Amino acid sequence: MLTKTELRKAVRQLKKQHTQEELKALSTVITGKLLELPCIKEATTVMLYCSLPDEVYTMDMIHRLHGEGKKIVLPKVISDCEMELREYDGDADLEVGSFGIMEPCGKLFTDYEDIDVAVIPGMAFDKDGNRLGRGKGYYDRFLNAAGKRGVNEKCESGKGFNEKRENRKGNTYKIGICFPFQFVYAVPADEHDNRMDMVVCGQ
């Protein structure tokens, strides 16, 4: 198995083999699959992200879900090791932030337990839901605060995902999102790493 450093390097090389147009086309397929998931359709509050140029493009999905009346929250990097969440209520709530990407500047969001679904990027994922990030630990710290959910069948089947919502608080459903070439056989995982409940890669 590759080390985390080796796997990050390998994925970066694979990304360089694709043009921005190709990545955007792949993104359309991936986000289309996400939008069809019952847990996304039924969610009240969804955490998404403003994509880097080499990540699955998300702005179209953000616009669509916001237009459907869902509460959208987006990460904002505030230090070398921390991020916070801000509410998105239109593009006026975006500004250029860390890493030169758009970041939210809306109302601070701290009710992590109210997030129904979190869509999370990564450098690589595997079939067991293990995620390899960029090495800063932003999302691992967030996921530790947001809590864990153990069952992914509800998202896939649509059987009562929103039933007894008050009993689901603190059980954010975690969906990893990546390009097909980022979905690998095995991701090296540490004890503190958080697994995704589902990975969507367009395959």
Side-chain angles (χ1 to χ4, degrees):
M1 181 188 297
L2 296 177
T3 66
K4 290 185 176 184
T5 299
E6 291 169 338
L7 185 52
R8 288 188 184 101
K9 183 178 179 180
V11 170
R12 289 190 184 100
Q13 291 302 316
L14 289 171
K15 287 180 177 181
K16 290 178 181 178
Q17 298 176 17
H18 298 268
T19 66
Q20 283 297 306
E21 291 74 18
E22 289 171 338
L23 295 180
K24 187 74 175 290
L26 288 171
S27 297
T28 300
V29 174
I30 295 164
T31 55
K33 289 181 178 294
L34 275 170
L35 289 167
E36 290 303 312
L37 291 174
C39 59
I40 293 289
K41 291 182 176 181
E42 298 178 24
T44 300
T45 302
V46 179
M47 174 182 161
L48 285 159
Y49 65 93
C50 294
S51 48
L52 289 164
D54 64 348
E55 292 177 333
V56 175
Y57 179 76
T58 54
M59 280 310 302
D60 291 343
M61 185 176 182
I62 290 170
H63 290 151
R64 174 166 167 176
L65 293 179
H66 177 257
E68 292 176 358
K70 300 184 187 300
K71 177 175 284 189
I72 303 299
V73 295
L74 303 171
K76 178 182 178 67
V77 173
I78 58 174
S79 76
D80 286 342
C81 61
E82 294 178 287
M83 70 179 190
E84 63 187 13
L85 298 183
R86 297 278 180 159
E87 295 184 21
Y88 170 85
D89 196 27
D91 286 351
D93 284 339
L94 297 177
E95 62 184 6
V96 178
S98 301
F99 306 113
I101 65 170
M102 300 304 294
E103 288 188 340
C105 53
K107 180 182 177 183
L108 181 66
F109 181 87
T110 58
D111 297 325
Y112 292 171
E113 70 276 7
D114 289 339
I115 300 173
D116 297 306
V117 179
V119 178
I120 299 171
M123 291 294 287
F125 296 90
D126 67 20
K127 60 182 177 56
D128 295 319
N130 292 310
R131 170 185 176 271
L132 178 68
R134 294 180 182 266
K136 293 288 189 178
Y138 294 120
Y139 281 96
D140 283 320
R141 278 182 285 274
F142 160 75
L143 292 171
N144 287 332
K148 299 179 180 179
R149 176 200 299 276
V151 180
N152 65 12
E153 286 80 5
K154 286 186 178 181
C155 185
E156 295 174 328
S157 68
K159 294 179 181 178
F161 182 81
N162 253 346
E163 291 179 1
K164 298 181 179 179
R165 184 174 184 277
E166 66 277 8
N167 294 328
R168 298 196 291 103
K169 282 184 175 292
N171 289 321
T172 298
Y173 193 90
K174 305 175 292 294
I175 302 178
I177 183 175
C178 66
F179 297 113
F181 56 82
Q182 294 175 275
F183 189 73
V184 301
Y185 178 75
V187 168
D190 297 327
E191 186 176 337
H192 68 274
D193 291 335
N194 287 273
R195 289 186 178 183
M196 302 295 101
D197 296 301
M198 173 185 287
V199 178
V200 176
C201 64
Q203 292 181 330

